[in-house]
Amino acid sequence: MTLLEGKIGETYAVRKTTLPLQVEKRMEALGMIQGTQIKIIHKKSKGALVILLRGTRFAVGKGIASCIEIEGAKL
């Protein structure tokens, strides 16, 4: 499933990304690599998400969120 399909308040692990190279490198620099845990804090009506990634809140657009595949986190 993609990050866009996740539920608010749930924690997920990044499985893989299919982002353009420049965006993928930027997300890796922020700490979003395979296996990283992400918690969805808020979803906007037009598709944007607010996520918690390594203790920092980020806003992610619909286009980027749809390219990030996630799975249920193993806590």
Side-chain angles (χ1 to χ4, degrees), residues 3-12 38-43 49-52 70:
L3 188 58
L4 203 59
E5 300 167 339
K7 295 181 182 178
I8 296 172
E10 296 291 323
T11 302
Y12 300 98
I38 296 176
K39 182 175 183 178
I40 299 175
I41 298 174
H42 186 71
K43 283 187 174 185
L49 297 164
V50 177
I51 60 172
L52 185 65
I70 56 172

Side-chain angles (χ1 to χ4, degrees), residues 30-38 52-58:
L30 295 172
M32 184 182 290
I33 57 174
Q34 185 176 358
T36 302
Q37 291 189 2
I38 296 176
L52 185 65
L53 173 67
R54 296 186 182 252
T56 305
R57 292 169 25 150
F58 291 100

